[in-house]
Amino acid sequence: GPTRKMPLTASAMDFFQLFVPDNVLKNMVVQTNMYAKKYQERFGSDDAWIDVTLTEMKAFLGYMISTSIHHCESVLSIWSSGFYSNKSIALIMTQSRFEKILKYFHIVAFRSSQTTHSLYKIQPFLDSLQNGFDSAFRPSQAQVLHEPLIDEDPVFIATCTERELRKRKKRKFSLWVRQCSSTGFICQIYVHLKEGSGADGLDALKNKPQLHSMVAKSLCQNASGKNYIIFTGPSITSLNLFEEFEKQEIYCCGLLSTRKSDCTGLPPSMLNNSATPQSRGQYRIRMKGNMSLICWYNKGHFRFLTNAYSPIQQGVIIKRKSGEIPCPLAVEAFAAHLSYICKYDDKYSKYFISHKPNKTWQQVFWFAISIAINNAYILYKMSEAYHVTRYSRAQFGERLVKELLGLEDTSPTH
């Protein structure tokens, strides 16, 4: 849960600034102004440009965040006369001023000579965000590694032709997270670029088990020695990775697929389906030290690799129609934690910022901001402030937008 107690009067902005404090916003102001100056030195002066202020930067973020609540395809719809127009917030800043800030917006204006990382324009922000996540929240023992579901606007997709959908640019990166499975709080973000050379580029992508193993190690680099139980999908599950994690006192439970998983070192007899018909709930087990490979049958064969649960401990899967189906405890635990993540995706994935910039670093930035707001709401729900006001996720987002735009007084009330 949360590591600090927030006051009863804590606002949406207070929770958001646990992850994106004023010093981070001030740095955005400085870098944006530096980039605008350098851009104009190179391409000619822009008489319409005036240096951005901290107040304007907050308003700029507020406009972007508003697209996550109203799901408009373009942030410029706010100033239009159409369905997504929003006169109450459109008056804070003119459209032309917003577009100027959008044109020059930067987090790192210039590349240093030592920089080799492809995400150098956003890495300082991601590092700051990670520090905020680590200091504000202590996760439960059970955590999940996965790619979060990022919803496209359903109304827009429904009205799109197939040709328009094909024309939409595919993301050039994948976003992976380590997530507390009892609360949904995202503890760590890892961004993998699909283009570029080197160990984290396109060449590594061709070897998917190796790539996913690298992703898992990056997400768990701060987890060693804490006895966490990490749940993984088929793409990450492998004997070599789980044995490596066990040496770091990280324990695992993963679904295994003969098609998607790295099955090196596993007995072939357990990977082949038996010819004799089986009844639901039957399972076979092979062990090597603490590691168990479980083959469980339920209208099909499901395989699990784990060193976190004893294979002889019994559990049950409860189905509405067929009642209780016996299974090893590892299978029950995996199903429970995975279902929680599915509920998280259903609830929070529709609150990702709708703005679709062309630049990859900006796409990553808006996804990261969306995750920070979701995490802020999770902390709000666990605080005493929630028992005073009880905002839904949409209401919390609207309050945050108004506070960023200066339409709400965020000072404590007495």
Side-chain angles (χ1 to χ4, degrees):
T3 56
R4 68 188 80 179
K5 189 175 180 181
M6 297 293 280
L8 288 169
T9 54
S11 64
M13 186 75 161
D14 293 331
F15 287 97
F16 176 65
Q17 293 215 297
L18 292 172
F19 311 125
V20 188
D22 267 354
N23 64 317
V24 171
L25 297 174
K26 285 173 183 172
N27 179 62
M28 291 179 195
V29 170
V30 171
Q31 296 294 328
T32 299
N33 289 333
M34 282 170 60
Y35 180 79
K37 183 180 177 184
K38 194 74 176 177
Y39 184 93
Q40 290 173 53
E41 284 174 6
R42 187 174 177 185
F43 297 107
S45 62
D46 183 349
D47 297 333
W49 174 254
I50 305 164
D51 277 0
V52 69
T53 63
L54 179 61
T55 304
E56 284 183 312
M57 186 57 73
K58 286 182 178 179
F60 172 75
L61 290 179
Y63 283 125
M64 286 297 195
I65 292 166
S66 72
T67 66
S68 67
I69 305 153
H70 305 294
H71 304 292
C72 47
E73 180 59 19
S74 169
V75 67
L76 301 180
S77 303
I78 292 167
W79 291 275
S80 72
S81 55
F83 179 76
Y84 290 112
S85 65
N86 193 332
K87 296 289 185 283
S88 62
I89 65 173
L91 299 172
I92 303 298
M93 185 186 289
T94 64
Q95 181 179 338
S96 59
R97 178 60 176 164
F98 174 86
E99 289 182 276
K100 284 292 178 194
I101 298 172
L102 182 61
K103 178 181 177 180
Y104 295 122
F105 175 67
H106 266 72
I107 296 161
V108 174
F110 308 114
R111 187 177 199 146
S112 67
S113 54
Q114 296 86 20
T115 304
T116 55
H117 199 282
S118 305
L119 285 171
Y120 77 94
K121 286 196 171 186
I122 193 175
Q123 198 58 54
F125 175 75
L126 294 177
D127 293 341
S128 167
L129 205 59
Q130 188 58 56
N131 291 335
F133 292 169
D134 291 341
S135 61
F137 184 82
R138 191 177 291 108
S140 64
Q141 185 185 28
Q143 294 165 41
V144 180
L145 304 187
H146 72 119
E147 287 184 275
L149 180 67
I150 299 167
D151 262 6
E152 291 278 14
D153 175 30
V155 177
F156 176 77
I157 293 301
T159 57
C160 258
T161 63
E162 282 186 34
R163 187 180 174 192
E164 285 173 324
L165 283 173
R166 281 199 301 271
K167 279 174 68 180
R168 284 175 72 77
K169 289 189 176 178
K170 290 185 178 178
R171 285 200 298 272
K172 295 178 182 177
F173 64 93
S174 55
L175 188 75
W176 292 77
V177 299
R178 175 163 59 86
Q179 190 168 18
C180 169
S181 61
S182 58
T183 59
F185 189 95
I186 288 176
C187 310
Q188 193 158 349
I189 299 171
Y190 177 79
V191 180
H192 168 73
L193 290 177
K194 294 179 181 177
E195 291 184 355
S197 57
D200 61 344
L202 196 60
D203 296 334
L205 191 66
K206 291 170 186 172
N207 185 346
K208 289 206 169 182
Q210 184 187 338
L211 166 68
H212 291 140
S213 173
M214 180 191 75
V215 168
K217 288 173 189 174
S218 299
L219 284 170
C220 295
Q221 59 190 358
N222 301 329
S224 58
K226 296 181 180 176
N227 289 307
Y228 288 152
I229 298 174
I230 303 292
F231 293 87
T232 66
S235 59
I236 291 177
T237 302
S238 82
L239 180 62
N240 292 336
L241 179 67
F242 284 14
E243 286 179 336
E244 196 174 324
F245 275 167
E246 191 173 354
K247 292 172 188 172
Q248 302 171 35
E249 296 178 45
I250 301 170
Y251 301 94
C252 304
C253 180
L255 182 64
L256 193 74
S257 161
T258 51
R259 193 167 53 87
K260 293 182 181 177
S261 305
D262 177 8
C263 297
T264 309
L266 298 174
S269 60
M270 291 291 284
L271 302 176
N272 298 321
N273 297 336
S274 60
T276 54
Q278 291 182 290
S279 57
R280 295 176 78 176
Q282 277 191 313
Y283 57 90
R284 294 178 292 148
I285 298 166
R286 286 286 294 273
M287 291 190 71
K288 177 189 174 185
N290 292 329
M291 199 72 66
S292 308
L293 175 56
I294 302 164
C295 183
W296 176 68
Y297 185 81
N298 177 24
K299 289 188 176 178
H301 292 87
F302 294 88
R303 294 172 180 84
F304 297 86
L305 190 66
T306 181
N307 55 5
Y309 296 92
S310 165
I312 56 174
Q313 281 186 288
Q314 291 295 307
V316 289
I317 297 284
I318 300 172
K319 298 281 185 182
R320 270 181 285 183
K321 290 182 180 177
S322 45
E324 293 185 354
I325 303 165
C327 66
L329 184 62
V331 179
E332 181 188 343
F334 185 90
H337 289 94
L338 205 66
S339 70
Y340 191 93
I341 295 306
C342 290
K343 286 176 187 172
Y344 173 91
D345 280 343
D346 289 345
K347 182 172 183 180
Y348 292 104
S349 65
K350 58 177 171 282
Y351 293 110
F352 277 77
I353 290 167
S354 299
H355 176 64
K356 303 288 188 299
N358 289 327
K359 293 184 174 67
T360 298
W361 74 264
Q362 289 187 7
Q363 292 173 19
V364 174
F365 175 75
W366 297 119
F367 284 137
I369 286 283
S370 302
I371 287 171
I373 299 167
N374 285 340
N375 276 354
Y377 181 69
I378 289 166
L379 289 189
Y380 160 72
K381 282 197 77 173
M382 288 190 279
S383 74
E384 292 180 359
Y386 179 69
H387 300 294
V388 177
T389 49
R390 288 188 177 272
Y391 293 131
S392 67
R393 173 62 184 84
Q395 289 170 328
F396 182 85
E398 286 175 351
R399 296 289 299 184
L400 177 59
V401 168
K402 287 181 178 178
E403 287 162 20
L404 283 165
L405 290 164
L407 294 171
E408 294 284 340
D409 182 17
T410 58
S411 59
T413 52
H414 301 287

